[in-house]
Amino acid sequence: MIFEQLTVHLSVSSYFTLQTMKPKILIINEPLWILIMQTIRPILAENSTNISEFKKNPMAAVAQADGFPVAVLNRNQPVFYCVPAAAYELLMGKLEDLELAQLVEARKNQTEIDVDINDL
């Protein structure tokens, strides 16, 4: 009964995979997605391609994404993300900013020490 409701959102191959899958954890009173998390992973990119197409011409996949990441799928599951250099550099810059903000937050209540540049 539960699997019949899922067919609206899932492909036929996923439907049969879910029917034969035995979940490791059964949580009562929780959403259905907890039961199927082991087989369905979110795609964290707006653009995706299958691995066969990506192997044929990886630069075409990157070009079609207009500078945004591309999720590369194998059997409709993401196996890796192809992130253009500019997007990766931006991501690393934002991560560095977050780390520095955490450092500033951790040190904001420390006592100040007077330092003379000539003493160094």
Side-chain angles (χ1 to χ4, degrees), residues 51-68:
I51 198 158
S52 300
E53 292 297 319
F54 185 77
K55 285 193 290 187
K56 288 178 189 174
N57 193 351
M59 291 308 294
V62 172
Q64 289 175 0
D66 292 325
F68 291 96

Side-chain angles (χ1 to χ4, degrees), residues 38-105:
Q38 297 167 358
T39 58
I40 298 177
R41 293 176 38 206
I43 298 174
L44 303 175
E46 292 182 15
N47 304 294
S48 65
T49 185
N50 64 38
I51 198 158
S52 300
E53 292 297 319
F54 185 77
K55 285 193 290 187
K56 288 178 189 174
N57 193 351
M59 291 308 294
V62 172
Q64 289 175 0
D66 292 325
F68 291 96
V70 177
V72 180
L73 310 175
N74 184 21
R75 296 185 178 155
N76 293 329
Q77 295 292 321
V79 288
F80 68 91
Y81 293 90
C82 177
V83 182
Y88 185 78
E89 291 164 2
L90 181 66
L91 179 65
M92 291 295 106
K94 288 190 180 282
L95 283 174
E96 184 179 3
D97 291 346
L98 286 172
E99 290 172 354
L100 290 174
Q102 287 176 344
L103 186 60
V104 167
E105 187 66 31

